Amino acid sequence: MQRILSLALLFITISFYGQSNVDLSYYLPNDVQYDNNIPMPKSIIGHEVGEWHITHDKLVQYMYALAQASDRITIENRGKTFEDRPLLLLKITSPANHSRLSTIKQEHVKATQIDNTDTNRPIVVYQGFSIHGNESSGSNAALAAAYYLAAAQGPKIDALLNNTVILFDPSLNPDGLQRFAYWANTNRSQNLNPDPNDREYSEVWPGGRTNHYWFDMNRDWLPVQLPESRVRIKTFHEWMPNILTDHHEMGTNSSFFFQPGIPSRTHPLTPKLNQDLTKQIATYHAKALDKIGSLYYSEESFDDFYYGKGSTFPDINGGIGILFEQASSRGHIQESVNGLLTFPFTIRNQFTAALSTLEAANGMREDILNYQHNFFKNARNEAKKEGKKAIVFGDEKDAARTYHMAEILKRHNIKFHDVKADFSVDGKQYKKGYSYIVPKNQNNTRLINAMFEKRTQFKDSLFYDISAWSFPLAFNLDYAETTTAEAGAEINDLKFKKGGVREKSNYAYLTEWHEYYSPKFLYQVLKHGIRVKTSQKQFKANGKSYDYGTLMIPAQNQSLSNEKLFKLLDKLAQESHISIDAVSTGLNDGIDLGSNNFRPLQLPKIALLVGDGMTSYDAGEIWHLLDTRYNIPVTKLDTKNFSRANLSRYNAIIMVNGSGLNEGNTKKLQSWIRDGGTLIGYRRALNYLNGKKFMKIEFKKPKLVAKNITREQRSNFRGAQVIGGAIFETNLDRSHPINFGYKNSTLPMFRNTTLFVKPDKNSYNNPIQYTKDPLLSGYISKQNLDSLSGTVPLKIGGLGRGKVVAFTDNTNFRAFWYGTNKLLMNAIFFREEL
């Protein structure tokens, strides 16, 4: 009987939530009046806030309607996503402030650049919602928050808007938001079902968290590789907001989190006062959430270490970043340990936190304005002590990689100069046009330190994200301390090095493989049916030295005439920013051009395994790399379709981090390799490759024994053995095709796995090997560091006529690890020679 009664109550609850929806009053404060001339969301989008998941097109429609109806709001379309969705920004403040908004912005930014200022000006708050598309309560709360800011009446809202300029970003990830809204809405029942097993709460791969290319955009604030990131970073530096909020979701059985995070996990470059002010702001959140009876917590999880997150990036730029994490309904209603969790409830918490942030900004305005001013004043004093010190970075063989790192600096308003003339530091050559100099004595010297530093000592051993991101290491660029005496003119108009063919040849053309966009060039040449060979040895031609991997294109016996071949190569070289030399003889110092040490290359035909069992982040990074940088087509081959796919269409298949394939598909893949295919695997795929006998991999497995560790300490003890993301030094055999295009004998590599692979007994089978003391930057436990020493991040094996290439870690991490992208390209283009 009791069970029947419980089921009846559950049915009544479900029916209630299926048939009765909250209206806007559920969210809004009831102590103010609202302007009837301002349209409510339902009148524009056709449903109540929280009744359905807002689609991005409807969100845009409502924001434009508000801007048209309210003199408190202006709207700007700052650009578009990969899927051509607009990236909107609303500027919300009083009509009086709007009339002088450009002056307010100018005065606000000027206060970060001068030693004396006052606080008689508005505070600037950037409010961003749902950078993870399937954490959609943020963007849905933006509907109610924007309405409130436009429609609320009375002295309280007037004072807030007079004292505050709000940069309102209703959707940080439009493509992901749209993808998730489609999923949640198409699986919504009329009678809402809170059963976690319902399809509504289990998205199909890759889910709505990411952008079009499956990137987690909340890791891109510092690298700035994606279009969504680039517009918001431009806005950030144009306005220098005092507070930036980032609205997220977490597990369904949680409550609500607001910062500060765990105090010991704050980056040392972040001032203590930043955390003190964050804690003071937190009292406003607590008070507001207490008022509506919502549970919450603070300082028990998350951190402020990696500056590439939205809640941490402001901390190194004189602002205060605040993370909000709301327990997620992941649909419209779901069971949780705290009772039934409804979508409107999650929206209300986000809405409440958005308003409490503004209340805190208004109440603490002078203290926060003074903090930002003093942050930069103190930074300039630190910079002055650096005098004429500077950092030089570059690669004498690769202007494009140097360009792309300089591009990031430029996006962050960091000044840099050309080198006055070629010079050397510590045996490394820094050439004009291939190198830049960054003076340390500039306004955002702390950001420079954060981007260039190498750090191996830490207060805590647990990290929410990566512990190292040193940009010259990620780009594999030479860099050193120098002085501004070596600096030439400041670079204001950053441009690629001009490429092209130096002159026409009737014999052959040569180009080294060092430049970043050499693979882009090579693919296009092969696509046009032009014969290309690559050198297996170094040589000299016309007195110039050419390195391993140099491309040689004969002028004769091609499908094009000499004139057309010259014009095509010149065009492709310009597009790829590479220089091509013409030679008139095949007789060289070293191997001649007719030598068998020049090996023919074939057009790659690439498939990338995606779908269930594969990690979408890793797959997206490779898709993005091939598609947007190298213009190389790649077939995204879903694992569910693998059994019926014709694999003979491909000569290279990439398997990213994941669990592998079922038994039938495994046999099919092995047969394809035996017939001459090349399989390239990453990370946990190595366990699959070893277990299914694609290749033999011998792992080194450290024994972990907990001594004097209490039950309370157990989680931290285990967490300390995780390599969250650090940078390690490897030695290269530059004569091996996997390393063609690298000029140095060492290579920094990113690692976030504990897959330690023993080296082969024959040294020539270890083309990349970790050094004896490999840690360059980041955290790793002593036990893991000892295990890593001398191991290899790469194994290459044969299976029949084909090859298996296995990387322990991701060489294409988050699109900013330019320095190791070429390893994948070498595995693809030089697969026959590995």
Side-chain angles (χ1 to χ4, degrees), residues 142-398:
L143 292 164
Y147 171 79
Y148 171 83
L149 293 170
Q153 301 294 301
K156 182 178 177 181
I157 187 68
D158 289 342
L160 172 66
L161 294 176
N162 282 330
N163 292 328
T164 314
V165 173
I166 304 160
L167 307 174
F168 196 86
D169 194 334
S171 174
L172 292 162
N173 180 4
D175 295 347
L177 182 75
Q178 187 80 9
R179 194 184 316 138
F180 180 68
Y182 166 80
W183 177 263
N185 290 338
T186 56
N187 286 285
R188 178 188 186 273
S189 300
Q190 289 186 31
N191 295 289
L192 301 183
N193 186 352
D195 184 351
N197 295 314
D198 190 87
R199 189 170 189 261
E200 181 178 354
Y201 313 114
S202 180
E203 297 172 78
V204 293
W205 196 99
R209 178 183 177 91
T210 53
N211 77 341
H212 175 78
Y213 283 100
W214 309 333
F215 280 90
D216 182 338
M217 292 196 301
N218 197 38
R219 304 298 185 267
D220 195 44
W221 291 76
L222 200 57
V224 208
Q225 295 301 300
L226 305 169
E228 301 92 339
S229 307
R230 289 173 177 177
V231 299
R232 68 173 179 260
I233 292 303
K234 186 174 184 288
T235 299
F236 185 97
H237 287 300
E238 282 180 353
W239 274 96
M240 299 302 292
N242 300 96
I243 299 173
L244 185 148
T245 58
D246 193 14
H247 291 254
H248 287 256
E249 292 179 6
M250 54 183 168
T252 302
N253 289 321
S254 301
S255 58
F256 189 87
F257 170 86
F258 50 79
Q259 285 184 309
I262 296 174
S264 60
R265 300 178 196 170
T266 301
H267 197 288
L269 292 177
T270 299
K272 182 179 181 300
L273 184 54
N274 170 287
Q275 296 296 289
D276 293 342
L277 290 170
T278 303
K279 195 166 186 176
Q280 189 176 342
I281 292 170
T283 64
Y284 287 80
H285 307 320
K287 181 180 178 181
L289 292 167
D290 285 342
K291 188 174 180 179
I292 62 172
S294 287
L295 298 175
Y296 57 84
Y297 71 100
S298 185
E299 296 188 281
E300 293 180 41
S301 59
F302 303 101
D303 65 26
D304 271 322
F305 194 83
Y306 172 48
Y307 287 126
K309 297 184 298 178
S311 58
T312 315
F313 176 77
D315 299 344
I316 196 62
N317 286 283
I320 298 169
I322 298 176
L323 169 69
F324 297 119
E325 292 275 356
Q326 165 62 47
S328 179
S329 64
R330 272 299 187 272
H332 292 87
I333 183 173
Q334 199 175 161
E335 297 167 7
S336 82
V337 296
N338 294 312
L340 286 176
L341 180 62
T342 69
F343 187 42
F345 177 83
T346 69
I347 294 171
R348 185 173 66 163
N349 281 347
Q350 299 277 27
F351 170 84
T352 301
L355 264 57
S356 62
T357 299
L358 297 176
E359 185 179 351
N362 188 26
M364 298 170 59
R365 182 179 60 85
E366 291 191 15
D367 288 342
I368 296 173
L369 288 173
N370 277 326
Y371 166 74
Q372 184 185 56
H373 170 73
N374 290 328
F375 176 96
F376 285 103
K377 182 178 179 180
N378 294 335
R380 284 192 300 275
N381 289 334
E382 295 166 11
K384 287 175 184 176
K385 295 176 183 177
E386 298 288 349
K388 295 183 178 181
K389 290 182 181 178
I391 302 170
V392 61
F393 68 91
D395 187 316
E396 62 176 313
K397 294 283 190 177
D398 190 348

Side-chain angles (χ1 to χ4, degrees), residues 502-749:
R502 291 193 167 97
E503 60 180 304
K504 181 182 172 183
S505 173
N506 291 319
Y507 192 83
Y509 298 95
L510 298 174
T511 182
E512 290 191 287
W513 186 244
H514 292 291
E515 280 285 353
Y516 184 78
Y517 287 106
S518 294
K520 177 181 178 181
F521 167 80
L522 176 57
Y523 183 85
Q524 291 300 320
V525 172
L526 292 172
K527 182 181 176 183
H528 281 82
I530 305 302
R531 290 186 298 106
V532 186
K533 295 186 177 183
T534 181
S535 68
Q536 303 298 296
K537 293 187 176 184
Q538 298 168 317
F539 64 96
K540 281 186 178 181
N542 291 342
K544 178 179 177 179
S545 295
Y546 290 88
D547 208 350
Y548 301 106
T550 292
L551 302 181
M552 188 269 289
I553 304 168
Q556 301 299 321
N557 198 25
Q558 297 281 14
S559 58
L560 299 178
S561 67
N562 283 357
E563 182 63 27
K564 287 183 177 179
L565 177 64
F566 166 71
K567 288 181 177 179
L568 174 65
L569 294 180
D570 188 53
K571 174 180 176 290
L572 297 178
Q574 290 184 48
E575 293 172 352
S576 301
H577 320 293
I578 68 169
S579 297
I580 299 178
D581 298 324
V583 291
S584 58
T585 177
L587 188 62
N588 294 327
D589 182 359
I591 59 171
D592 296 327
L593 298 191
S595 167
N596 285 334
N597 281 300
F598 280 92
R599 305 290 172 79
L601 298 174
Q602 301 297 322
L603 182 72
K605 298 174 183 177
I606 308 164
L608 171 66
L609 294 181
V610 301
D612 292 343
M614 302 296 148
T615 300
S616 59
Y617 293 159
D618 299 36
E621 287 157 1
I622 292 174
W623 177 26
H624 174 267
L625 176 71
L626 294 172
D627 192 35
T628 69
R629 292 188 186 163
Y630 293 137
N631 289 352
I632 297 176
V634 55
T635 296
K636 300 183 297 298
L637 181 56
D638 200 299
T639 53
K640 69 183 180 184
N641 299 324
F642 189 88
S643 62
R644 55 181 180 268
N646 177 9
L647 299 188
S648 66
R649 296 171 63 98
Y650 316 110
N651 49 34
I653 294 178
I654 303 170
M655 177 182 287
V656 297
N657 182 58
S659 55
L661 302 172
N662 64 33
E663 196 63 34
N665 287 337
T666 294
K667 291 179 180 178
K668 181 175 181 177
L669 182 59
Q670 289 172 332
S671 176
W672 172 82
I673 298 171
R674 290 190 180 97
D675 287 341
T678 297
L679 176 66
I680 304 165
Y682 283 95
R683 301 174 69 200
R684 283 192 299 118
L686 272 66
N687 293 323
Y688 165 76
L689 297 176
N690 184 56
K692 298 298 181 180
K693 296 182 170 49
F694 284 78
M695 66 190 313
K696 181 174 177 54
I697 304 174
E698 192 174 357
F699 295 102
K700 184 192 290 187
K701 297 185 178 179
K703 294 180 179 179
L704 185 62
V705 179
K707 295 182 178 180
N708 302 317
I709 301 296
T710 66
R711 185 179 184 279
E712 183 181 9
Q713 297 167 330
R714 177 179 57 183
S715 177
N716 287 353
F717 170 74
R718 291 176 176 171
Q721 306 309 313
V722 172
I723 304 174
I727 305 172
F728 301 92
E729 184 179 53
T730 62
N731 285 324
L732 301 184
D733 172 2
R734 293 182 57 249
S735 71
H736 196 288
I738 200 70
N739 296 322
F740 283 178
Y742 288 101
K743 73 176 181 64
N744 294 335
S745 59
T746 59
L747 176 67
M749 294 190 71

Side-chain angles (χ1 to χ4, degrees), residues 396-595:
E396 62 176 313
K397 294 283 190 177
D398 190 348
R401 225 172 345 111
T402 307
Y403 166 91
H404 281 299
M405 179 166 162
E407 183 182 39
I408 296 174
L409 299 181
K410 190 170 184 62
R411 293 189 188 281
H412 288 302
N413 288 350
I414 294 174
K415 297 177 181 178
F416 55 94
H417 297 246
D418 199 355
V419 298
K420 187 165 55 179
D422 298 358
F423 71 103
S424 297
V425 180
D426 298 330
K428 301 295 183 184
Q429 183 81 1
Y430 297 95
K431 289 173 58 177
K432 189 176 177 65
Y434 290 78
S435 308
Y436 297 108
I437 288 178
V438 183
K440 287 190 172 182
N441 186 4
Q442 50 180 300
N443 200 52
N444 46 9
T445 186
R446 289 176 174 175
L447 181 58
I448 295 170
N449 291 338
M451 295 179 72
F452 281 84
E453 74 166 6
K454 291 194 296 185
R455 185 179 295 272
T456 57
Q457 299 296 319
F458 302 91
K459 188 176 181 180
D460 204 321
S461 56
L462 277 72
F463 299 85
Y464 184 72
D465 201 77
I466 59 176
S467 60
W469 54 87
S470 178
F471 280 82
L473 296 181
F475 277 73
N476 185 34
L477 294 173
D478 299 326
Y479 73 115
E481 295 277 347
T482 186
T483 70
T484 53
E486 302 289 354
E490 182 180 342
I491 300 294
N492 294 311
D493 185 16
L494 182 66
K495 293 181 179 179
F496 276 111
K497 182 179 76 71
K498 188 175 181 180
V501 182
R502 291 193 167 97
E503 60 180 304
K504 181 182 172 183
S505 173
N506 291 319
Y507 192 83
Y509 298 95
L510 298 174
T511 182
E512 290 191 287
W513 186 244
H514 292 291
E515 280 285 353
Y516 184 78
Y517 287 106
S518 294
K520 177 181 178 181
F521 167 80
L522 176 57
Y523 183 85
Q524 291 300 320
V525 172
L526 292 172
K527 182 181 176 183
H528 281 82
I530 305 302
R531 290 186 298 106
V532 186
K533 295 186 177 183
T534 181
S535 68
Q536 303 298 296
K537 293 187 176 184
Q538 298 168 317
F539 64 96
K540 281 186 178 181
N542 291 342
K544 178 179 177 179
S545 295
Y546 290 88
D547 208 350
Y548 301 106
T550 292
L551 302 181
M552 188 269 289
I553 304 168
Q556 301 299 321
N557 198 25
Q558 297 281 14
S559 58
L560 299 178
S561 67
N562 283 357
E563 182 63 27
K564 287 183 177 179
L565 177 64
F566 166 71
K567 288 181 177 179
L568 174 65
L569 294 180
D570 188 53
K571 174 180 176 290
L572 297 178
Q574 290 184 48
E575 293 172 352
S576 301
H577 320 293
I578 68 169
S579 297
I580 299 178
D581 298 324
V583 291
S584 58
T585 177
L587 188 62
N588 294 327
D589 182 359
I591 59 171
D592 296 327
L593 298 191
S595 167

